[in-house]
Amino acid sequence: MMKFEGKTAVVTGGSRGIGRAVCLELAAGGANVVLCYAGNEAAAQETVQAVEALGTKALAVRCDVSDAVQVDALVKSAVEVFGRIDILVNNAGITRDNLLMRMSEADFDAVVAANLKGAFLCMKAASRLMLKQRYGRIVNLSSVVGLRGNAGQVNYAASKAGVIGMTKSLAKELASRGVTVNAVAPGFIETDMTAALSEAARSAAQGSIPMGRLGGPEDVARAVGFLASDDAAYVTGQVLAVDGGMAM
Ligand code: NAP
């Protein structure tokens, strides 16, 4: 039997980057996948096709994770189509970088809303079902920046450190009910999010990685797949760094 056979996964921000790789990792293990995206319909449909090519079913739902009404509709669609939610991966995220003195209140609010409140809303909506099922796996995307901080990312660091606090708190709330809650903290991963950085910033980042290379989305997806699987049944409230040794 495949690792995720008969399971349904909801992956936020599954249209691109790490989220897309997570959709494929879970689908390769046999999961049906509901992915949400902010606005990039073409990328979302491409992920749907890539998942279906692996032999499972996929559904793309446009949903801003910072909006409670849209999140409830996302969860409702997943249940209508697949009957249950076994795995939730809170991956949707944005950056709006600037030094504190130049950071607008709007940029602070937007990042916290998408990265932190979005995970809160999705966990609230999905954990209701998971409690009834007495089974669930929640994996949240934090960041090395949430562990170590980074100049120019006060908003992003706050959101990603918040994700860790939220992960540990909910892990304690749900531990006795068959639901695990863990986080992964990626380092520097090659996606659209990091593509905008200058060559100088990239090589500086590379120099700070003991393994000497940037990560790929699949590096993160495999760690998420582990935490979402029954191999990690006795693991909860943990933060797994996937960063080539960056945060040691
Ligand atoms: P990405 O390539 O920029 O993709 C972001 C994804 O999130 C897209 O699918 C996007 O949808 C979706 N999204 C953004 N805002 C959303 C919202 N409000 N509601 C729903 N979906 C939303 O990002 P990535 O690099 O793969 O990062 C994925 C996660 O890993 C993020 O949480 C990020 O903070 C974290 N992370 C990344 C790195 C890295 O180096 N890349 C390192 C540490 C942590 P559209 O396609 O529709 O825009």
Side-chain angles (χ1 to χ4, degrees):
M1 183 162 153
M2 290 168 94
K3 221 178 354 182
F4 302 119
E5 206 170 311
K7 302 263 195 289
T8 302
V10 171
V11 181
T12 69
S15 47
R16 293 183 284 124
I18 293 169
R20 179 182 184 280
V22 168
C23 290
L24 298 185
E25 175 73 19
L26 299 177
N32 293 320
V33 177
V34 179
L35 62 106
C36 89
Y37 62 101
N40 197 333
E41 168 79 29
Q45 289 307 332
E46 191 280 332
T47 305
V48 166
Q49 282 170 15
V51 165
E52 288 180 344
L54 293 168
T56 67
K57 297 193 185 100
L59 171 73
V61 179
R62 186 177 183 142
C63 165
D64 177 352
V65 292
S66 65
D67 182 310
V69 173
Q70 293 183 44
V71 168
D72 285 346
L74 168 70
V75 166
K76 201 168 164 221
S77 307
V79 174
E80 270 167 16
V81 176
F82 295 115
R84 54 190 287 125
I85 298 175
D86 302 284
I87 298 164
L88 168 68
V89 182
N90 284 308
N91 163 83
I94 58 169
T95 51
R96 295 277 187 278
D97 298 351
N98 222 328
L99 295 172
L100 176 77
M101 291 302 175
R102 293 193 205 127
M103 186 176 286
S104 67
E105 192 179 338
D107 282 349
F108 183 87
D109 286 346
V111 168
V112 171
N115 300 4
L116 184 61
K117 184 180 170 193
F120 160 74
L121 292 174
C122 292
M123 292 196 303
K124 192 169 174 188
S127 61
R128 212 167 272 144
L129 296 165
M130 291 175 172
L131 281 171
K132 277 196 207 136
Q133 293 166 184
R134 295 220 152 227
Y135 181 89
R137 296 276 180 273
I138 298 175
V139 185
N140 295 323
L141 270 287
S142 179
S143 166
V144 65
V145 171
L147 297 167
R148 298 205 320 186
N150 194 28
Q153 293 198 301
V154 159
N155 50 358
Y156 186 76
S159 72
K160 294 300 183 180
V163 162
I164 292 174
M166 216 158 58
T167 298
K168 289 175 187 259
S169 301
L170 188 61
K172 287 183 174 169
E173 290 184 23
L174 303 184
S176 64
R177 318 286 284 275
V179 182
T180 66
V181 190
N182 290 287
V184 292
F188 200 123
I189 310 299
E190 302 245 39
T191 67
D192 293 344
M193 188 176 269
T194 46
L197 293 175
S198 68
E199 207 38 59
R202 289 169 75 80
S203 63
Q206 194 157 336
S208 70
I209 303 170
M211 282 189 184
R213 70 168 177 92
L214 308 188
E218 298 75 18
D219 289 313
V220 182
R222 283 189 287 267
V224 172
F226 166 66
L227 292 170
S229 77
D230 287 340
D231 292 338
Y234 200 55
V235 179
T236 199
Q238 299 306 302
V239 183
L240 178 55
V242 185
D243 63 358
M246 216 175 160
M248 279 193 280

